[in-house]
Amino acid sequence: MLRWKLLVASAAIALSGVMPAHAETGVTKDTIKIGIFAPLTGKSAIFGKYVIGVQAYYKMINDQGGINGRKIVTYLEDDACDPATAVAATKKLVAQDGVFMLHAGVCTASIMAVKDDMLRQGVPFMNLGAAGSSITVPTVANMFSPLPNTIVVGRTLVDFAMSRPNTKRLAVISHPDDWGHSQVDPAIELLKKKYNLDFVENVSMERGATDITPQILKLRQSKPDVVLSFLYPTETAIFVREAHKYGLNTPLLACFGASYEDTVRRVDNAAASKNLYVFHALAGAANGEKMKKWADMIHKYGDPKEEIENFVLSGIGGAEVIVEALKKAGPDLTRQKFIDALNGIKDYDTGVLSAPITFTPEDHGGVKSGAMITEVDGKLISFATWPKEKN
């Protein structure tokens, strides 16, 4: 009997050197499972481009040896930016695929549809590309966002507009939904509190609308110095095109819901786009020198012909802090150790985003600022304040 006990003890000691002390869901001795859902189909499929940069980054990390001896394995589902589909996708990723965490969601409604269940199950969740402030406000233990939220975006557009010399009259157009209000409301509040001004006109545009002539005529009649736009990509392009058609030629500032490059392509009229500025979370233009490192990575680990633009790059920062926290959590990886490591991320410079990422136990909204991008002399340049070249 003594000899048998000694053999068992010896085997246990031998195994302890090669196996983790605690077997966590989605973690094996050589893999970490990460679930992703994004709109790969439907009217919001352009946002699915976030997945491209993220998956390329994870492949690069694996090529470099992985994290504490483990390779990242991703599981991808299409949510089509539909909350019900997101719920089904999440259940598959968590219950069937058994992922360790989710790096997912580009539409706020999709994330909010699964938020309570992910909190209940304690699954770590990193926002992939949604901007809704409700994802991390109020703070919950396992939900994190590495991108500027709608509050940051709304305030940034106001401050940028007001940095333009002699600007007194701002107007706004937005979607009349929670997403639109989550940006317009902070913009109204800041404009009144900081600058003692109100918007001279505030109009709305339904998603899917194609005729916005009445709204544009009202905006034009208000004689704004700058117009702020809180619209999705298709509607942003329609607004820019129709504003030019009806002689609303003031500067147009668009939110994070649109991409500069994509909007210009859709508008297909250089004269209409010449006064366009779009909120920009990146450290530089997508086709500029600062993003070359990331473009090269995507071409190496993804499609060598992939066109590099804002949405393709914007998810990489979140993937970077995930990897950093996984490293800090150590080889005996658990969800709680990972969450604790995320809460210790401070002033993390991703190199791809325009601002560093900081998480604390009290605040999981990692980025508090952004910039605006526009074209100057044929080059895309990002600015924190109004460019003198376009006064």
Side-chain angles (χ1 to χ4, degrees):
M1 179 66 71
L2 179 61
R3 183 172 180 274
W4 180 82
K5 288 182 177 180
L6 288 171
L7 286 172
V8 171
S10 298
I13 292 170
L15 285 171
S16 68
V18 296
M19 293 185 67
H22 173 72
E24 179 64 276
T25 301
V27 180
T28 71
K29 71 181 183 65
D30 52 15
T31 63
I32 303 169
K33 297 180 180 181
I34 295 179
I36 302 171
F37 66 76
L40 308 178
T41 59
K43 61 184 180 181
S44 299
I46 185 172
F47 295 135
K49 288 179 177 287
Y50 274 84
V51 174
I52 295 170
V54 165
Q55 289 198 313
Y57 182 77
Y58 289 144
K59 288 178 182 177
M60 181 186 74
I61 293 299
N62 287 343
D63 195 38
Q64 294 172 353
I67 304 160
N68 297 322
R70 296 184 177 101
K71 301 291 182 71
I72 292 174
V73 180
T74 59
Y75 294 76
L76 177 62
E77 293 292 325
D78 178 15
D79 78 325
C81 267
D82 173 68
T85 306
V87 169
T90 301
K91 286 182 178 178
K92 179 180 182 300
L93 291 167
V94 174
Q96 183 175 321
D97 298 324
V99 299
F100 170 73
M101 67 163 295
L102 291 172
H103 184 192
V106 186
C107 294
T108 302
S110 288
I111 296 178
M112 294 305 293
V114 305
K115 181 178 179 179
D116 288 346
D117 196 38
M118 292 302 93
L119 176 61
R120 181 180 60 81
Q121 297 189 56
V123 179
F125 194 111
M126 183 69 70
N127 169 32
L128 176 61
S133 58
S134 54
I135 296 168
T136 56
V137 180
T139 301
V140 296
N142 61 324
M143 305 287 290
F144 296 81
S145 181
L147 292 166
N149 65 28
T150 48
I151 295 173
V152 173
V153 173
R155 291 172 177 172
T156 297
L157 263 64
V158 168
D159 280 334
F160 186 78
M162 293 305 297
S163 71
R164 180 176 179 266
N166 303 315
T167 296
K168 298 293 183 184
R169 300 175 63 82
L170 300 188
V172 62
I173 182 170
S174 65
H175 290 311
D177 55 15
D178 289 344
W179 180 83
H181 286 299
S182 69
Q183 299 173 89
V184 174
D185 292 349
I188 291 172
E189 181 184 13
L190 182 68
L191 186 62
K192 186 172 295 185
K193 183 176 181 179
K194 185 175 179 179
Y195 300 101
N196 197 29
L197 294 173
D198 290 312
F199 283 109
V200 295
E201 188 60 78
N202 186 340
V203 300
S204 63
M205 178 184 184
E206 295 285 350
R207 289 208 66 189
T210 55
D211 180 13
I212 59 167
T213 304
Q215 294 96 318
I216 289 176
L217 293 179
K218 286 185 71 175
L219 289 171
R220 191 182 67 179
Q221 188 176 15
S222 71
K223 298 180 180 179
D225 297 317
V226 181
V227 178
L228 279 55
S229 163
F230 299 103
L231 305 172
Y232 272 91
T234 299
E235 291 80 9
T236 297
I238 292 171
F239 173 60
V240 172
R241 189 185 306 118
E242 296 300 296
H244 176 69
K245 176 181 176 181
Y246 287 100
L248 180 63
N249 295 318
T250 55
L252 308 177
L253 311 189
C255 69
F256 202 19
S259 156
Y260 185 92
E261 300 95 323
D262 175 66
T263 303
V264 170
R265 278 196 302 271
R266 291 176 187 245
V267 173
D268 195 25
N269 183 337
S273 302
K274 71 176 182 178
N275 287 322
L276 175 66
Y277 302 76
V278 178
F279 183 92
H280 196 62
L282 302 178
N287 62 354
E289 187 61 31
K290 287 185 178 180
M291 295 297 106
K292 186 177 186 305
K293 167 186 174 181
W294 308 106
D296 290 345
M297 178 197 74
I298 289 166
H299 289 151
K300 179 178 180 179
Y301 293 99
D303 184 350
K305 297 181 180 179
E306 184 67 49
E307 183 175 1
I308 305 301
E309 64 170 332
N310 187 33
F311 294 143
V312 174
L313 297 165
S314 293
I316 296 174
E320 288 188 69
V321 294
I322 286 173
V323 168
E324 179 69 10
L326 288 171
K327 291 177 180 177
K328 290 184 174 182
D332 186 17
L333 180 62
T334 67
R335 285 172 169 170
Q336 188 57 54
K337 286 183 178 180
F338 174 65
I339 289 172
D340 291 343
L342 282 174
N343 280 325
I345 296 290
K346 183 177 180 181
D347 293 329
Y348 188 89
D349 184 3
T350 64
V352 68
L353 298 178
S354 62
I357 295 175
T358 294
F359 294 127
T360 69
E362 297 76 29
D363 189 350
H364 290 174
V367 174
K368 304 302 183 186
S369 64
M372 303 295 293
I373 193 167
T374 189
E375 186 173 332
V376 178
D377 297 330
K379 293 183 179 181
L380 289 180
I381 303 176
S382 59
F383 296 91
T385 57
W386 201 271
K388 294 180 180 178
E389 299 93 328
K390 299 192 75 169
N391 285 348

